[in-house]
Amino acid sequence: MTTAPVAPAPSADPQVLWRLIVQAGGMKAYIDGQLKEKGFLVTRRDADSMSDREKDGYKKALKQEADERRKLRRETWGAYKANHIVHLGEGVFWSDDLAPDKWDTPNSEERAAENELPAIDRPEQLAELLGVTIPQLKGLAYHRDAATSLHYVRFTIPKRDGTERPIWAPKKRLKAAQRWILHNIVERLPVHGAAQGFLVGRSILSNAAVHANAKAILKMDIKEFFPTVTVRRVKGVFRRAGYRDGISTLLALICTEAPREVVEVEGETYYVSLGPRCLPQGAPTSPSLTNALCMRLDRRLEGLAKKLGWRYTRYADDLTFSLPAEHKGKPRLGTMIGCVTRIVAAEGFEVKAEKTRVHRTGGRQSVTGLVVNGDGPPRVSRTVRRQLRSAVHKLKTGKPLKEGESLARLSGYAAFVYMTNPDLGKKLLADINGATGAG
């Protein structure tokens, strides 16, 4: 007969308990050790030779062992889940298997090292780098088709065509994780020279400067740019960077969210998924991820442009082509538009045909808001400069501003002018600050 069992100790902290499990040699070894230590482990015997009284005692001891084993299994499984990711939500394939697979980038370690990317093989490494626990990491990445809460705050801003653009701004913890991924991984990925947006040393000014003194300017937009970049495509960026499937899945989920509709059911608010996860407009990682993703698109469009004698840049979803004034051959505009449309489609995007525009030398040519007519540097239009001077004059004379104008808006326009004309911009900013009493 077994000795009387001692009272089980209270459950340990999940992290501490998991270390004990690892030291014991695994979950089964830990459970068997605990059963033995606490006096619950029953030595198996042949019951046929037992008396009825002995059989009753033997059965009782086996039942106590089984009950304690179930309890220990729950505790060890809880410790395992607290230190591992076992599931990431509906429709998400998850595996932290480190074995190579056919989708691994050849020489992945060397490629990651070339780009000075942090070595991350396991979720616990990523969690440590992000400054979160494994459960918190899982929470940041977990997908629900119908969620009662999100890691984002939704609001809208007006577009030029009068419609509303939805912005999903990440909350504090998710934003911090995205910023870490942005600065330590995404910003270190290769980007084509034609990309001008959201890169150090490049801007709307550098984008416009490429297209100065043009015989013709062709502007085309990509339709639904961020929503088209789904979680699978984002995962592909991280896989090509050299990360294995599990880490790439986590990184992609942290950087994406599903478009959602707010639904009220019996007093409960649900955020219902309307499609696959994609890049949210508002996440700090989204613009730079598109730059990395569009490497091949930019390469193909630049190759097309050079072949036909044009110049090419991309600022986010804005594609700009210009024919230099000194170009002697035919512009082949129809060929350019057709080929661009097909290349964009082949790369998984769609041209917004109604926003395709051609600007010739007879009218004003502007690129990302700056006038590029002639061989001078890009500049803010006369209309904007005139309106800004008028508003500053009203401030100086104490007259009310026009509807829709504000000090913040005027300061923003003055900074816009300063970018291309520092002397004028500095004077306008000084006038605005002087008129309002700012330092």
Side-chain angles (χ1 to χ4, degrees):
M1 189 59 99
T2 60
T3 58
V6 296
S11 298
D13 175 87
Q15 278 69 38
V16 174
L17 178 54
W18 182 249
R19 284 198 293 270
L20 295 174
I21 293 170
V22 173
Q23 291 170 4
M27 295 170 68
K28 184 179 184 303
Y30 173 82
I31 291 173
D32 288 342
Q34 287 294 299
L35 290 171
K36 184 175 181 181
E37 180 181 327
K38 296 175 181 180
F40 284 99
L41 192 62
V42 178
T43 303
R44 270 40 179 186
R45 295 158 39 194
D46 183 5
D48 291 341
S49 59
M50 296 180 187
S51 65
D52 291 342
R53 184 177 179 182
E54 287 176 325
K55 284 182 181 179
D56 289 341
Y58 185 60
K59 290 178 180 178
K60 183 178 179 181
L62 288 175
K63 185 178 183 303
Q64 289 177 330
E65 178 192 311
D67 291 342
E68 185 65 16
R69 187 181 292 276
R70 280 192 292 271
K71 178 186 174 185
L72 288 168
R73 281 175 177 165
R74 286 194 300 270
E75 291 178 354
T76 53
W77 180 241
Y80 181 88
K81 289 196 294 183
N83 290 272
H84 299 78
I85 294 174
V86 296
H87 183 53
L88 285 172
E90 297 99 324
V92 178
F93 172 77
W94 166 253
S95 172
D96 57 2
D97 185 4
L98 291 179
D101 65 44
K102 66 178 181 178
W103 303 112
D104 285 338
T105 300
N107 304 314
S108 57
E109 289 80 6
E110 292 84 348
R111 176 174 292 195
E114 286 175 3
N115 293 321
E116 299 182 347
L117 303 182
I120 312 172
D121 293 320
R122 294 187 174 277
E124 52 265 35
Q125 293 174 306
L126 178 59
E128 184 177 355
L129 290 168
L130 296 179
V132 298
T133 64
I134 287 291
Q136 288 170 340
L137 176 63
K138 178 182 176 181
L140 293 176
Y142 201 89
H143 174 75
R144 290 181 176 85
D145 286 335
T148 55
S149 64
L150 295 177
H151 293 290
Y152 290 86
V153 176
R154 184 186 185 278
F155 58 93
T156 61
I157 58 174
K159 296 166 67 174
R160 282 183 293 182
D161 61 5
T163 61
E164 296 288 324
R165 184 190 306 277
I167 304 295
W168 293 88
K171 295 179 182 177
K172 185 177 180 180
R173 179 174 289 167
L174 178 60
K175 188 174 184 178
Q178 290 176 342
R179 286 198 179 280
W180 188 94
I181 295 169
L182 172 67
H183 298 316
N184 293 278
I185 299 177
V186 181
E187 288 183 340
R188 300 181 183 185
L189 300 177
V191 173
H192 195 275
Q196 296 291 330
F198 315 103
L199 293 163
V200 176
R202 305 185 201 180
S203 63
I204 60 172
L205 178 58
S206 65
N207 184 55
V210 174
H211 304 286
N213 197 25
K215 184 181 294 187
I217 291 178
L218 168 64
K219 295 195 290 188
M220 304 175 75
D221 275 18
I222 296 177
K223 185 177 181 180
E224 299 291 334
F225 188 48
F226 283 0
T228 304
V229 182
T230 61
V231 64
R232 291 182 62 185
R233 301 180 75 175
V234 176
K235 180 178 175 179
V237 170
F238 293 117
R239 295 232 66 183
R240 286 192 297 274
Y243 290 113
R244 295 279 176 81
D245 186 82
I247 295 301
S248 295
T249 298
L250 285 168
L251 293 171
L253 289 169
I254 290 172
C255 294
T256 59
E257 179 54 90
R260 293 182 182 270
E261 181 178 358
V262 181
V263 177
E264 297 285 341
V265 180
E266 297 180 352
E268 185 87 42
T269 300
Y270 291 91
Y271 302 90
V272 181
S273 170
L274 299 177
R277 292 174 74 98
C278 57
L279 291 181
Q281 190 139 3
T285 41
S286 294
S288 293
L289 277 167
T290 60
N291 282 337
L293 180 75
C294 288
M295 168 74 88
R296 191 170 68 176
L297 171 68
D298 290 333
R299 185 185 299 124
R300 294 182 67 183
L301 290 179
E302 185 181 61
L304 170 68
K306 285 184 175 179
K307 182 178 179 180
L308 298 180
W310 292 67
R311 301 170 295 199
Y312 163 70
T313 61
R314 180 182 57 80
Y315 194 96
D317 57 348
D318 294 333
L319 312 177
T320 306
F321 304 85
S322 63
L323 192 65
E326 63 272 15
H327 183 80
K328 301 300 182 183
K330 294 181 179 180
R332 302 179 68 182
L333 185 60
T335 300
M336 173 65 75
I337 293 175
C339 289
V340 170
T341 301
R342 287 191 291 272
I343 289 174
V344 169
E347 293 299 322
F349 296 101
E350 181 183 352
V351 167
K352 196 172 185 178
E354 62 270 25
K355 293 195 71 174
T356 296
R357 298 285 185 274
V358 178
H359 301 278
R360 303 183 187 276
T361 52
R364 189 178 77 181
Q365 297 174 326
S366 66
V367 176
T368 45
L370 297 173
V371 177
V372 296
N373 291 74
D375 55 3
R379 55 210 175 273
V380 177
S381 69
R382 288 195 187 95
T383 301
V384 171
R385 296 200 302 268
R386 186 167 56 249
Q387 291 174 345
L388 188 52
R389 286 194 183 100
S390 174
V392 170
H393 178 73
K394 288 180 180 179
L395 284 176
K396 286 182 173 181
T397 56
K399 295 180 180 179
L401 296 173
K402 287 168 51 178
E403 185 179 352
E405 287 184 339
S406 66
L407 294 177
R409 187 179 178 86
L410 294 181
S411 296
Y413 272 116
F416 185 44
V417 172
Y418 180 86
M419 180 176 59
T420 61
N421 189 333
D423 292 338
L424 177 58
K426 186 175 181 179
K427 181 180 183 305
L428 290 169
L429 285 168
D431 288 342
I432 293 171
N433 291 333
T436 59

